[in-house]
C-alpha cells in the first residue's frame, strides 16, 4: 500500500469527532460499585449436545482456555474440544470491561479490568480478590477508550503482575501488583493507552506498548527507571486520529528483541538494550493488532481488516517464519489477539475487538493446515490464555 500516510491524515478529524462522542457518552455512565468478595460461577452455559452431555457426565477434562469478555464484566471458561456453543463452559464476574489476562502456573488468572486487577482461582472458578487501581482514571466506564487496566503480564517467577493503566486524555502508568499480598507496590509513569505489556525472559525489563504516544516504555524492574523509544515506522502525523500506531508486541525468543507489526506491511524490530528500531517488510496488507511468538520464533499476527476496503486486504492470521517468509490464513471478520497451544499446533484468535465490529467467539486455527473453526463463546472476548493442567 502506498496510501497509509494520506489515509492517516484524512482520518484525523473523523476519529477525533468519534473519540469525543465516545468519551462524552462514557463519562455519563454511572460507575458500578466494585467488590472484592469471591463471586460464584454463573451457570449460563448453553445446553450442550447429547454427546457433550455424556462426555461431561463421564468426567470431562479441565477447561483448556480462559477469555476476557470486554463487552461484559466476566471471564469465560472454554473447552475448544467441544462443538459449537457447548465450548462455552460458563463465566465468572471479575470487574467492568476486562481487557488483558495472564495466568500463573498455579492456575491463578490475573485480569486487568476498568476497576482494578482481579485474581481468579481457575480451579474453583471464583474471583478471590480485586486489587483496585491506585492511579486515578476517572469514572468506571466501558468501551475502547475506557480508563483502567489494559495490557498485563506476570514476572517469570509469578511474584509480580505488571498492568498498564490507561488514563483517558493523558499518559498512563504501569502498576506493579505483588501477587502474594495482592497490593499495588509500585507505580511507574508510561505513555498513552498502554495496550500491551511484555516481560523479558530474565524478568529484568518490562515493555509497555503505548498506543497513542507511538512508543514503547522500557522499565527496569530493579530501579524502576524508564526509557521511551518511539516506534512509528509511518511517522506520527495525525496524532490521536492516526491508524498507524503500535498495538501489541512480542518478545523474540532468540535474542529478546521486541517485535511490533504494522498494517501487514512493516515489522518494527526494537533492540531493548539500545532502543534502536529497524523495519522489515511484511505481506498481509491489512490493519494488524495482536501478535505472539512460538518458542521457535515463528510469529502469529492478527490482521483485523482493511483501513481502506478498496485498497487493503481483509482479516487474516499471518504466520511468519523466523526467516521472514510468511503465509496467510484468511479469517472471517475482525479479531484482536492470538494465543498458541503449548505445542504451537493450534492458534486461538479472539473475536472481540477494541473498536466496533467484534463478535462473540474465537476462531481456532490449525497452524499446519490453516483450517479454521469458529466457536461462539463469551461476549466480545479480547484476551485468551491457555490454562495449566490440573496436577
Amino acid at each position: 500500500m502506498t496510501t497509509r500516510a494520506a489515509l492517516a491524515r484524512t482520518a484525523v478529524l473523523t476519529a477525533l469527532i468519534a473519540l469525543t462522542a465516545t468519551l462524552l457518552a462514557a463519562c455519563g455512565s454511572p460507575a458500578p460499585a466494585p467488590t472484592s468478595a469471591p463471586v460464584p460461577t454463573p451457570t449460563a452455559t448453553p445446553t450442550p449436545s447429547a454427546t457433550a452431555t455424556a462426555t461431561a457426565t463421564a468426567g470431562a477434562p479441565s477447561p483448556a482456555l480462559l477469555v476476557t469478555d470486554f463487552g461484559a464484566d466476566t471471564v469465560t471458561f472454554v473447552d475448544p474440544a467441544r462443538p459449537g456453543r457447548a465450548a462455552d463452559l460458563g463465566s465468572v464476574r471479575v470487574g467492568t470491561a476486562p481487557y488483558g489476562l495472564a495466568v500463573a502456573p498455579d492456575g491463578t488468572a490475573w485480569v486487568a479490568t476498568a476497576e482494578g486487577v482481579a485474581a481468579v482461582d481457575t480451579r474453583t472458578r471464583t474471583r478471590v480478590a480485586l486489587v483496585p487501581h491506585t492511579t486515578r482514571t476517572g469514572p468506571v466506564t466501558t468501551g475502547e477508550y475506557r480508563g483502567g487496566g489494559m495490557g498485563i503480564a506476570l514476572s517469570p517467577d509469578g511474584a509480580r503482575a505488571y498492568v498498564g493503566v490507561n488514563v483517558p486524555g493523558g499518559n498512563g502508568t504501569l502498576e506493579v501488583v505483588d501477587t502474594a499480598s495482592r497490593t499495588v507496590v509500585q507505580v511507574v509513569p508510561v505513555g498513552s493507552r498502554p495496550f500491551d505489556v511484555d516481560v523479558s525472559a530474565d524478568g529484568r525489563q518490562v515493555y509497555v506498548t503505548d498506543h497513542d504516544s507511538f512508543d514503547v516504555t522500557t522499565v527496569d524492574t530493579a530501579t524502576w527507571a524508564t526509557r521511551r523509544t518511539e516506534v512509528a515506522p509511518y511517522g506520527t502525523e495525525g496524532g490521536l486520529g492516526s491508524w498507524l500506531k503500535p498495538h501489541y508486541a512480542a518478545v523474540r525468543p532468540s535474542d529478546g528483541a521486541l517485535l511490533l507489526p504494522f498494517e501487514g506491511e512493516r515489522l518494527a524490530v526494537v533492540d531493548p538494550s539500545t532502543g534502536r528500531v529497524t523495519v522489515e517488510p511484511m505481506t498481509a496488507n491489512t490493519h494488524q493488532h495482536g501478535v505472539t511468538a512460538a518458542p521457535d520464533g515463528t510469529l502469529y499476527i492478527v490482521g483485523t481488516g482493511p483501513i481502506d476496503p478498496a485498497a487493503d486486504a481483509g482479516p487474516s492470521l499471518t504466520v511468519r517464519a523466523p526467516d521472514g517468509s510468511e503465509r496467510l490464513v484468511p479469517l472471517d471478520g475482525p479479531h484482536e489477539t492470538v494465543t498458541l497451544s503449548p505445542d504451537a499446533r493450534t492458534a486461538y484468535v479472539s473475536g472481540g475487538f477494541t473498536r466496533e465490529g467484534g463478535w462473540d467467539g474465537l476462531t481456532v486455527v490449525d497452524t499446519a493446515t490453516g483450517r479454521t473453526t469458529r466457536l461462539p463463546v463469551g461476549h466480545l472476548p479480547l484476551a485468551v490464555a491457555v490454562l495449566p493442567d490440573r496436577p
Side-chain angles (χ1 to χ4, degrees):
M1 285 174 287
T2 60
T3 60
R4 292 296 192 199
L7 285 168
R9 288 193 296 270
T10 57
V12 174
L13 182 59
T14 301
L16 287 175
I17 291 172
L19 170 59
T20 302
T22 302
L23 290 173
L24 288 173
C27 290
S29 302
T35 174
S36 58
V39 180
T41 306
T43 55
T45 306
T47 303
S49 65
T51 301
T53 302
T55 302
T57 303
S62 303
L65 305 174
L66 189 67
V67 302
T68 58
D69 296 318
F70 191 58
D73 61 355
T74 54
V75 292
T76 293
F77 291 83
V78 179
D79 183 352
R82 293 179 177 229
R85 293 191 177 277
D88 188 324
L89 299 180
S91 305
V92 174
R93 290 177 54 209
V94 290
T96 303
Y99 191 101
L101 169 66
V103 179
D106 68 357
T108 302
W110 297 90
V111 186
T113 81
E115 301 172 40
V117 179
V120 175
D121 185 328
T122 62
R123 305 190 193 288
T124 62
R125 300 196 201 175
T126 54
R127 190 187 76 179
V128 294
L130 178 64
V131 183
H133 296 305
T134 61
T135 302
R136 293 182 179 274
T137 62
V140 175
T141 60
T142 61
E144 179 185 0
Y145 300 101
R146 68 122 174 94
M150 298 189 73
I152 189 170
L154 291 169
S155 61
D157 61 5
R160 293 170 175 170
Y162 301 104
V163 57
V165 179
N166 180 42
V167 178
N171 283 338
T173 65
L174 180 74
E175 291 191 346
V176 183
V177 176
D178 181 287
T179 58
S181 65
R182 296 171 182 166
T183 58
V184 175
V185 294
Q186 188 73 35
V187 178
V188 182
V190 297
S192 181
R193 285 183 76 201
F195 251 60
D196 196 19
V197 176
D198 295 274
V199 181
S200 63
D202 60 11
R204 295 179 180 178
Q205 292 182 317
V206 175
Y207 311 115
V208 183
T209 302
D210 304 315
H211 179 268
D212 284 358
S213 48
F214 295 88
D215 56 37
V216 169
T217 302
T218 300
V219 181
D220 185 307
T221 60
T223 66
W224 306 117
T226 63
R227 181 183 65 220
R228 300 277 284 279
T229 301
E230 183 178 283
V231 186
Y234 294 91
T236 61
E237 185 177 359
L240 185 62
S242 172
W243 286 79
L244 311 178
K245 295 177 285 194
H247 293 85
Y248 297 87
V251 178
R252 187 158 59 193
S254 61
D255 61 1
L258 202 63
L259 309 175
L260 298 95
F262 286 79
E263 307 307 318
E265 293 182 330
R266 305 178 187 181
L267 181 70
V269 181
V270 182
D271 183 337
S273 62
T274 65
R276 181 172 178 264
V277 181
T278 58
V279 177
E280 300 176 4
M282 299 185 69
T283 62
N285 188 32
T286 191
H287 189 60
Q288 289 177 320
H289 277 207
V291 56
T292 193
D296 68 354
T298 300
L299 286 183
Y300 296 82
I301 305 162
V302 180
T304 68
I307 293 177
D308 179 2
D312 308 338
S316 63
L317 180 69
T318 292
V319 182
R320 182 182 175 91
D323 65 4
S325 61
E326 296 183 347
R327 58 186 175 91
L328 304 181
V329 178
L331 297 175
D332 183 8
H335 292 69
E336 184 72 17
T337 67
V338 56
T339 296
L340 294 173
S341 61
D343 60 10
R345 294 181 179 178
T346 307
Y348 305 104
V349 193
S350 64
F353 194 32
T354 51
R355 301 181 67 86
E356 294 182 359
W359 57 284
D360 296 344
L362 302 176
T363 296
V364 181
V365 181
D366 183 312
T367 59
T369 66
R371 180 178 181 271
T372 63
T373 303
R374 285 165 67 97
L375 290 178
V377 295
H379 188 45
L380 297 181
L382 208 63
V384 189
V386 176
L387 296 176
D389 293 332
R390 290 182 183 270

